[in-house]
Amino acid sequence: MLILECPYCGVKAEETELHAGGEAHLKRFGPGSSDDEFHDYLFMRENPKGVHFERWRHVNGCGKWFHAARCTTTLEVFGTYTAQTSAPPQEIRDAITAKRPGWSWREFE
Amino acid sequence: MKRYSAFAVAREALRYHTGWERAWRNPAPKRQYDVIIVGAGGHGLATAYYLGKNFGITNVAVLEKGWLGGGNTGRNTTIIRSNYLQDPSAAIYEKARSLYEDMSQDLNYNVMFSPRGVIMLAQTEHEVRGYKRTAHANALQGVSTEWIEPARVKELVPIINLAGPRYPVLGGLWQERGGTARHDAVAWGYARACSAMGMDIIQQCEVTGVRSEGGRVIGVDTTKGAIDCDKLGMVVAGNCSHLSQMAGFRLPVESVALQALVSEPIKPCMDVVVMANTVHGYMSQSDKGEMVIGGGTDGFNNYTQRGSFHHIEETVRALIETFPMVSRLKMLRQWGGIVDVTGDRSPIISKTPVQNCFVNAGWGTGGFKAIPGSGWAMAELMATGHSPLAEEFSMMRFKEGKFIDESVAAGVAH
Ligand SMILES: Cc1cc2nc3c(=O)[nH]c(=O)nc-3n(C[C@H](O)[C@H](O)[C@H](O)COP(=O)(O)OP(=O)(O)OC[C@H]3O[C@@H](n4cnc5c(N)ncnc54)[C@H](O)[C@@H]3O)c2cc1C
Ligand SMILES: [Zn+2]
């Protein structure tokens, strides 16, 4: 069972307390963007075997959205962090590097 | 290949079953093939089979990282139906369903197709309207299905509780020629037939890279060495994003776990398949007597072939309201598969940005029923560059806004 620590209320919440919200750090494209940008924003998702960044909501707790860094092949959790950022903080990146040297994801921002 | 028959069973019975031969060869890869198919699930094997049968292309290898049929094809709950809403879906699923009708004869392999009938329960007003709409659409598409009232549901499924407090049964969409088949046998039957045509099915051979030159595919790297090909078909379900990344393009797909479970065997109590899409539960009884139960997908990206336990609890809780007898059943086994889900819940059978590289993916939670139709269309696309059945399922449809939205009536589409 997946357990994530909510960065707001500090509760170690198990899955039934949480709601998965999909890929993190999406850049929104709207009017004025190219067809490709809009297509990718709407339909293309990172679907890596390995390190992944996601949005989660502490739905049956404080109700707030936050971020998690997780491995999709081992279900290991590298850490959670607040929603008020468009890229994972350095300590999360370091925690991932410690366990998955050379990891990569798409560009942030 | 020696043919299977009643006579062969009798002959072998007389000589202690010493005369059965291997169902398929176990060859080492050659240097080069006309066509390489990655993934020996149902869809990959069916693609290879129809390449040979319909187009005479037999210099074909099917590469499988594990064992054939060990992916979702061997993990699903085997529901077969074709009463989808949209025209392109109805066309390909009905093609598949009709091919299932005589698949055992065609492959000379008993796939145990059992057209026992499938009911999709309507348990909300929304579903009632949705399924009536589907029944009308199916009438226009020439797909046989009908809307039935609760009394008829009860007649078909005596163990059902129509008056559930949360989700009463308001009727159902009934497809009399829907049903189930033996999932392993579908993979094995196609594999045997492919092998007999001279194709190589190479197990424990993982594709680790896709090689191309000037935008055109020329071969693959595998754990058994590099292999060249003129055309490549990637048919790897939950691993399709991984494969497409090797080829240098992306797919609009996410991979999540879907689970199923079976009970202890009990006496025959339900001879149709029942699906309850509102509560995410569906059930049928296997020939061995086990109740085969499936539910909804987990919510997050996952490649582990293990799902979360609470989803099993949710599925069973939902089923107990509609089938009170389930509460007395002991469950024997539970497992998961990694399903490939697209934005509109419809599959992709498509050319790709890499020339001569084709993709068949996105069948998600409901592709077992589609295996023969999908293989038929994919083979046609790969052999001729064009397939009427596959046309609407291009990966370009997302950019063009031409979705095939099957999630409108029900979020699940098993
Ligand atoms: C629990 C569950 C219940 C389901 N219930 C139903 C149902 O009732 N009805 C229905 O119609 N559908 C159902 N489905 C969906 C159905 O199982 C799938 O859509 C279908 O089996 C997909 O077949 P496939 O051949 O595309 O994929 P798979 O059978 O998964 O085959 C893909 C193969 O590719 C191989 N592979 C992956 N990567 C590589 C690589 N790099 N190199 C070589 N080989 C590779 C894998 O090992 C695998 O064997 C269910 C699925 C699950 C998980
Ligand atoms: Zn919280």
Side-chain angles (χ1 to χ4, degrees):
Chain A
M1 173 153 294
L2 194 65
I3 294 174
L4 299 177
E5 182 171 325
C6 173
Y8 298 103
C9 59
V11 166
K12 283 197 168 56
E14 56 101 334
E15 241 180 288
T16 57
E17 225 175 292
L18 301 164
H19 180 78
E23 182 179 335
H25 310 306
L26 286 181
K27 179 160 185 240
R28 279 158 183 73
F29 287 94
S33 53
S34 72
D35 283 358
D36 283 340
E37 286 168 338
F38 198 54
H39 167 259
D40 288 2
Y41 161 53
L42 284 180
F43 299 108
M44 287 299 189
R45 290 292 173 267
E46 292 302 305
N47 190 20
K49 271 185 131 168
V51 177
H52 195 37
F53 296 90
E54 300 166 337
R55 301 168 74 230
W56 284 83
R57 187 170 172 228
H58 192 188
V59 65
N60 292 323
C62 69
K64 290 188 176 140
W65 284 97
F66 62 92
H67 286 132
R70 219 170 47 80
C71 176
T72 61
T73 52
T74 61
L75 303 187
E76 207 171 342
V77 178
F78 302 113
T80 54
Y81 51 103
T82 65
Q84 283 73 37
T85 171
S86 54
Q90 195 57 43
E91 74 255 25
I92 295 285
R93 296 179 197 226
D94 292 344
I96 299 171
T97 306
K99 288 182 165 161
R100 300 282 187 283
W103 66 276
S104 67
W105 207 54
R106 66 164 165 80
E107 276 172 38
F108 295 101
E109 312 297 326
Chain B
M1 181 185 86
K2 285 191 201 149
R3 286 182 65 79
Y4 295 150
S5 63
F7 172 72
V9 173
R11 183 191 63 214
E12 291 306 322
L14 291 176
R15 56 181 190 192
Y16 302 100
H17 297 282
T18 52
W20 297 116
E21 56 184 19
R22 277 180 169 279
W24 49 82
R25 292 169 298 111
N26 193 18
K30 293 192 284 188
R31 278 288 312 148
Q32 193 275 344
Y33 292 93
D34 294 343
V35 175
I36 288 179
I37 303 292
V38 190
H43 290 259
L45 291 163
T47 301
Y49 176 71
Y50 294 113
L51 275 171
K53 184 179 172 185
N54 294 352
F55 300 98
I57 301 171
T58 54
N59 184 20
V60 175
V62 185
L63 309 182
E64 166 56 50
K65 72 171 175 171
W67 65 96
L68 74 87
N72 295 340
T73 298
R75 294 163 186 270
N76 73 88
T77 47
T78 77
I79 300 173
I80 296 170
R81 64 181 183 91
S82 63
N83 46 1
Y84 282 67
L85 175 65
Q86 309 292 350
D87 291 349
S89 324
I92 196 163
Y93 286 106
E94 175 58 18
K95 173 75 184 171
R97 199 205 56 75
S98 66
L99 286 169
Y100 265 116
E101 294 260 4
D102 51 14
M103 185 185 284
S104 295
Q105 289 75 13
D106 186 35
L107 298 180
N108 180 235
Y109 201 99
N110 186 3
V111 301
M112 296 164 72
F113 177 56
S114 162
R116 60 184 69 180
V118 177
I119 302 179
M120 292 203 282
L121 298 179
Q123 293 179 289
T124 62
E125 286 300 333
H126 172 80
E127 272 183 311
V128 172
R129 282 194 295 273
Y131 288 153
K132 284 186 176 168
R133 179 182 173 203
T134 302
H136 292 310
N138 285 167
L140 296 174
Q141 293 150 346
V143 173
S144 134
T145 189
E146 65 182 298
W147 167 260
I148 56 174
E149 298 295 333
R152 175 95 172 105
V153 174
K154 183 76 186 172
E155 219 173 272
L156 288 162
V157 194
I159 61 170
I160 206 165
N161 171 24
L162 293 178
R166 277 192 311 164
Y167 296 110
V169 175
L170 306 173
L173 189 63
W174 166 238
Q175 188 170 38
E176 201 168 2
R177 295 297 292 176
T180 61
R182 167 106 198 261
H183 48 10
D184 299 318
V186 171
W188 297 339
Y190 276 123
R192 176 166 168 269
C194 287
S195 184
M197 284 190 278
M199 298 179 181
D200 288 351
I201 299 159
I202 302 160
Q203 304 183 66
Q204 289 174 358
C205 178
E206 178 169 357
V207 171
T208 52
V210 174
R211 286 180 293 123
S212 52
E213 229 173 63
R216 189 168 177 281
V217 76
I218 56 167
V220 292
D221 296 318
T222 78
T223 47
K224 294 190 173 177
I227 312 175
D228 296 339
C229 65
D230 290 338
K231 291 181 182 171
L232 180 68
M234 304 191 301
V235 198
V236 293
N239 282 282
C240 61
S241 299
H242 194 55
L243 255 291
S244 74
Q245 198 182 5
M246 293 178 199
F249 61 91
R250 298 172 73 194
L251 287 173
V253 167
E254 286 190 279
S255 299
V256 294
L258 177 67
Q259 301 177 81
L261 63 160
V262 294
S263 75
E264 60 192 330
I266 55 172
K267 287 191 176 162
C269 65
M270 193 175 80
D271 61 1
V272 299
V273 181
V274 183
M275 308 172 61
N277 290 333
T278 294
V279 296
H280 287 309
Y282 44 95
M283 188 159 79
S284 64
Q285 188 167 24
S286 76
D287 294 339
K288 285 182 283 183
E290 302 157 329
M291 303 309 286
V292 181
I293 296 173
T297 54
D298 288 12
F300 54 86
N301 297 49
N302 186 348
Y303 282 92
T304 65
Q305 296 191 325
R306 283 199 309 271
S308 304
F309 188 70
H310 70 94
H311 273 104
I312 301 262
E313 276 184 308
E314 279 161 21
T315 301
V316 172
R317 195 185 306 144
L319 282 176
I320 284 173
E321 178 180 319
T322 310
F323 302 95
M325 54 83 80
V326 170
S327 71
R328 313 292 294 197
L329 283 179
K330 294 188 188 71
M331 296 301 161
L332 282 192
R333 302 190 292 284
Q334 156 270 341
W335 64 90
I338 299 306
V339 296
D340 39 339
V341 179
T342 63
D344 61 0
R345 299 295 185 272
S346 286
I348 293 169
I349 308 175
S350 182
K351 295 180 182 173
T352 70
V354 181
Q355 220 186 320
N356 284 1
C357 174
F358 302 81
V359 64
N360 180 327
W363 293 97
T365 58
F368 175 72
K369 64 179 70 64
I371 285 172
S374 157
W376 185 283
M378 181 76 172
E380 189 173 23
L381 179 67
M382 291 188 73
T384 69
H386 175 74
S387 164
L389 277 178
E391 193 161 359
E392 309 280 329
F393 293 102
S394 157
M395 63 185 276
M396 298 308 295
R397 72 174 182 271
F398 297 93
K399 189 172 280 177
E400 293 160 357
K402 286 161 66 182
F403 313 119
I404 306 168
D405 194 351
E406 287 296 344
S407 54
V408 284
V412 285
H414 304 286

